[in-house]
Amino acid sequence: MSQTCASYLLRLLEAYGIDTAFGIPGVHTIELYRSLGDSAIRHVTPRHEQGAGFMADGYARASGKPAACFIITGPGMTNIATAMGQALADSIPMLVISSVNRRDTLGRGQGRLHELPGQRETLAGVSVFSHTLLDPAALPEVLGRAFAIFQGARPGPVHIEIPLDLLAAPLEAPAPRPLRVFPPAAPAAAIAQAADWLAGAERPLLLLGGGCADAPQAARALVERLQAPVLTTINAKGVLGQDHPLDLGATASLPAVRRLAAEADVVLALGTELGETDYDLVFDNGFRLDGRLIRVDIDPQQLARNQAADLALLADVGQVMHDLAAALPPRAEDGRAAAVRDALALEADPELAPYAPLYATLRAVLPEAILVGDSTGPVYAGNFLASLPAPRRWFNAATGYGTLGYGLPAALGAALACPERPVVALVGDGGLQFVLGELATARDLGQAVAVVIWNNQGYDEIRRYMAMHEVPRLGVDLAPPDFAGLAAAYACRYRAVGDPAALSEALGRLDEATSPLLIEVDAAAWAQAL
């Protein structure tokens, strides 16, 4: 068969290293599937397009490289919009390929199947860019733009829609020539200025964000050269390795850390947006940086947001960390990190203490696991408590966009990206009900993912927030489903646990079969057992 726009698209995706696509076939995307069987691209069918987006998100966070989503016109695109919003908020690369109605019908409001007025404009708000392909010969250029962003700028979702009449159109095109983009490096003068300020600082502080995830060695070398306390955001967990003495984790919302930040005379912020959900989880705008602020980011606009910088470097953070470590003289550690850690006493905090045995158990039984969380109590606590041996082992929907239903499908994406590593989804009974159908996807994939369900009979985080603000307790007490019955219906293994010992025993059986393991934790019984 002669080459079509759709088949050439698959060749281009392969050339760019895309090996996995998530999608639900529909009458408007079948041309994408005509040649897919002959492609090296693995296709995964979720049970909802939102699940496709969350799977692609988890795949990218675990592996560091994007996956594709093949999505139908109209409802498919509005379904995936939530997942794209989460990925955009957390700078996660995702390539969304969709169909759109024929070129001669666009914008005419004729009531065509799946017609959405202004589909491109609708998705533009949850993507780095949204493009309608009107000339199939332009496909290499448009994909080049997408991968230029993935490789050399602040990444996020890119949406490319292809009209139905173009998907099957014959196309003569050159062999794929994938673009390779290298991010900018900081000028020597900027490195020298930053190094001078840091070398002369009495109380330096480092803030490491998700932009540092691909440069853990450079981050560690810089931190150990400067010997300064470090705050690592939620998406930067593990960058310094496990239990690094200078790493205070994602604790910027706590009083002792806020005092440390306000007293710092020079602050170096690397690859972090300095956003609310990392630095101000109590939502009172109380995180202050009064010293000189040096910011390094791949996005020029980000350098001007949230906190005003005294020195702004538009550059690859990994290279900057490497250059700064080489430029700085060694210094002695001053004890500030240890003093703050003692003041925090996280595991004794009454809000966090009930979850400390959960993370101790996970660390003991599955020390190399990827932990993927939804917006749920144990995950909020884990953002403070969990310590990971490497980056890309901890991510969740509790930051940025803050959606529910993320944990299970994102964990499946992570398991596909890293099949050699155990994966645990940490979900609540409320959030899991957003995506119960993806248990069927987990079954189909044969992935031994552990789904730890924290069952507290509803939306407990919102219950507590209502109580704090004296709001009547409405809409948050939900009777959960029979999770044992659901596990049986989806051919998943099931265990009910109520204490750390039972959880340890259940997790120890994760790899006994190639099927998901649902572990239901009775939150009330867990609290009584401690």
Side-chain angles (χ1 to χ4, degrees), residues 340-404:
V340 171
R341 183 175 291 105
D342 290 344
L344 290 175
L346 293 177
E347 295 194 358
D349 186 303
E351 293 290 322
L352 303 177
Y355 305 107
L358 168 66
Y359 290 99
T361 301
L362 287 166
R363 180 169 175 169
V365 180
L366 299 173
E368 298 297 324
I370 298 172
L371 306 180
V372 184
D374 218 321
S375 291
T376 184
V379 173
Y380 292 127
N383 286 334
F384 292 99
L385 294 171
S387 180
L388 285 302
R392 302 193 179 280
R393 304 282 183 88
W394 172 270
F395 47 89
N396 56 70
T399 62
Y401 205 52
T403 183
L404 273 171

Side-chain angles (χ1 to χ4, degrees), residues 176-203:
R177 296 176 57 193
L179 181 68
R180 180 71 178 98
V181 173
F182 293 89
I191 295 293
Q193 179 69 85
D196 182 62
W197 287 3
L198 289 165
E202 294 183 2
R203 298 175 303 280

Side-chain angles (χ1 to χ4, degrees), residues 4-13 32 97 139 143 162:
T4 65
C5 180
S7 62
Y8 186 53
L9 170 64
L10 296 177
R11 291 179 60 200
L12 284 169
L13 293 178
L32 285 172
I97 305 292
L139 193 55
L143 273 182
I162 305 176

Side-chain angles (χ1 to χ4, degrees), residues 159-252:
H159 169 230
I160 301 171
E161 60 180 18
I162 305 176
L164 296 177
D165 55 316
L166 289 189
L167 282 171
L171 178 64
E172 291 186 11
R177 296 176 57 193
L179 181 68
R180 180 71 178 98
V181 173
F182 293 89
I191 295 293
Q193 179 69 85
D196 182 62
W197 287 3
L198 289 165
E202 294 183 2
R203 298 175 303 280
L205 174 68
L206 273 69
L207 311 179
L208 303 185
C212 302
D214 288 328
Q217 291 180 333
R220 192 176 185 109
L222 174 60
V223 167
E224 293 178 354
R225 191 73 167 174
L226 194 57
Q227 288 293 312
V230 181
L231 303 183
T232 45
T233 66
I234 293 166
N235 287 330
K237 272 188 174 292
V239 165
L240 297 182
Q242 202 155 49
D243 300 329
H244 193 285
L246 294 171
D247 187 2
L248 296 173
T251 58

Side-chain angles (χ1 to χ4, degrees), residues 471-529:
V471 174
R473 186 161 146 170
L474 297 173
V476 291
D477 296 315
L478 307 177
D482 176 0
F483 288 114
L486 282 170
Y490 286 114
C492 298
R493 294 171 290 159
Y494 172 83
R495 297 292 301 276
V497 305
D499 58 63
L503 176 62
S504 176
E505 195 274 336
L507 288 170
R509 302 179 61 179
L510 177 59
D511 292 330
E512 289 182 359
T514 56
S515 62
L517 172 62
L518 269 62
I519 302 174
E520 182 180 358
V521 181
D522 183 325
W526 181 278
Q528 291 177 357

